[in-house]
Amino acid sequence: MLPGNINPRQMRAMMKKLGMNVEQIEDVQSIVIKTPKGNWIFDAGTEVTAMTMQGATTYQISGTPRFEAAAIEIPKEDVTMVAAQANVSEEKAKEALVASKGDIAEAIMKLAS
């Protein structure tokens, strides 16, 4: 029998002989892959398959992710310095730092103009 003519039952039997176990994970609500730059989020409806072979399990994710950039963390010292240099409130200084992605010089220049 040619590989293209193998039915699903035969395929499962062959995989079992090879020590492979494939399992569909049901009712996936979401999957989040966290990175320093942000998160890749797969929402409900994403298909996940777990395959175990020779004691190692791998996961296959099928779906369309969306990317959410990580929030910028602005140190309190930077906020205080920008507020003092630009002679503005700490709230305005923090807004300027967030807008400039943490660039102190750029934040001060924006506030000074």
Side-chain angles (χ1 to χ4, degrees):
M1 191 178 277
L2 297 173
N5 295 333
I6 297 174
N7 67 43
R9 179 185 290 176
Q10 291 170 317
M11 180 62 86
R12 282 192 296 274
M14 285 176 29
M15 290 170 60
K16 190 171 185 172
K17 266 187 178 178
L18 293 171
M20 294 174 61
N21 181 33
V22 177
E23 176 184 352
Q24 187 76 22
I25 298 175
E26 302 294 330
D27 301 324
V28 173
Q29 297 296 311
S30 69
I31 296 170
V32 179
I33 300 172
K34 296 181 179 189
T35 70
K37 293 182 180 179
N39 300 327
W40 292 96
I41 301 168
F42 294 81
D43 292 316
T46 298
E47 293 183 15
V48 180
T49 305
M51 181 174 70
T52 304
M53 183 172 167
Q54 297 179 350
T57 302
T58 58
Y59 297 88
Q60 178 177 327
I61 302 169
S62 298
T64 304
R66 58 187 162 86
F67 184 76
E68 289 184 359
I72 298 171
E73 291 188 33
I74 307 293
K76 174 77 170 137
E77 303 83 38
D78 291 0
V79 174
T80 303
M81 181 171 51
V82 170
Q85 291 290 319
N87 198 27
V88 297
S89 69
E90 288 194 357
E91 183 178 318
K92 285 192 183 265
K94 185 167 185 174
E95 288 173 7
L97 281 163
V98 169
S100 67
K101 298 183 178 148
D103 185 317
I104 294 170
E106 184 181 330
I108 293 170
M109 288 173 45
K110 282 184 179 182
L111 290 167
S113 61

